Amino acid sequence: LTDALQKAALDDNEGAGHSIPLLITIDQEGGIVTRLGTGTALPGNMALGATGSKDHARSAGQIIGRELSALGINVNLAPVLDVNNNPRNPVIGLRSYSSNPELVAELGVETIKGLAEYGVAGAAKHFPGHGDTGVDSHYGLPSVDKSLEALKSMKLIPFQAAMD
């Protein structure tokens, strides 16, 4: 299906002198958030964070990237770059690499690089940092009540690293 959709999109734009592919997206973080019914069962980000290994994080990105690419999916709504520093947070937990913003940054960037090796764009989420909220965004509107300085000293570090 994705191959047929991409071919139709590219053929349709060919007469205009350019080919613009569709962005076909999925939320395939690994761990407890996977949308495919098949594929490699990977450890979650917290398990990867416990290893502290940039190689493991990149490998996870490569595995997910390879599998998504084979299915024609070219955008992944992952990795989670939230810093897990609020024990009352109902939704991030295992989905975060760590409570250490530098480690979250290092491992998140490596995962994005692994995805990119297979032509899959990663999406750093959940800006500006869902890891320090007390509300699940699937059921309510969380807010981050922090000063800009507080955000810069912790929450924004992984997102800045991903942009860099």
Side-chain angles (χ1 to χ4, degrees):
L1 175 62
T2 55
D3 284 341
L5 290 169
Q6 288 292 12
K7 183 175 182 338
L10 295 173
D11 289 349
D12 190 46
N13 289 318
E14 195 171 294
H18 59 278
S19 296
I20 302 171
L22 297 173
L23 298 177
I24 299 179
T25 305
I26 194 166
D27 195 358
Q28 187 76 3
E29 295 174 10
I32 62 171
V33 177
T34 57
R35 302 298 181 227
L36 296 176
T38 61
T40 305
L42 294 170
N45 289 346
M46 187 177 281
L48 289 170
T51 72
S53 170
K54 291 177 11 177
D55 290 338
H56 292 337
R58 190 173 197 131
S59 292
Q62 290 168 330
I63 291 165
I64 293 170
R66 184 180 316 122
E67 292 178 355
L68 295 181
S69 182
L71 296 172
I73 300 169
N74 54 14
V75 179
N76 189 14
L77 299 176
V80 169
L81 294 187
D82 295 298
V83 178
N84 187 36
N85 71 318
N86 183 343
R88 294 182 313 264
N89 184 287
V91 69
I92 299 302
L94 298 172
R95 297 167 65 197
S96 174
Y97 293 103
S98 176
S99 60
N100 177 324
E102 286 80 16
L103 182 60
V104 173
E106 285 181 4
L107 301 185
V109 167
E110 288 302 315
T111 301
I112 291 168
K113 288 178 180 177
L115 290 167
E117 288 179 35
Y118 290 89
V120 176
K125 64 183 188 187
H126 303 90
F127 183 83
H130 197 346
D132 197 15
T133 64
V135 176
D136 182 341
S137 59
H138 300 96
Y139 303 106
L141 181 61
S143 64
V144 180
D145 187 22
K146 303 286 182 189
S147 69
L148 181 57
E149 278 309 308
L151 288 172
K152 286 181 177 180
S153 71
M154 180 174 288
K155 299 296 176 187
L156 300 183
I157 291 172
F159 296 99
Q160 184 64 58
M163 287 184 283
D164 291 348

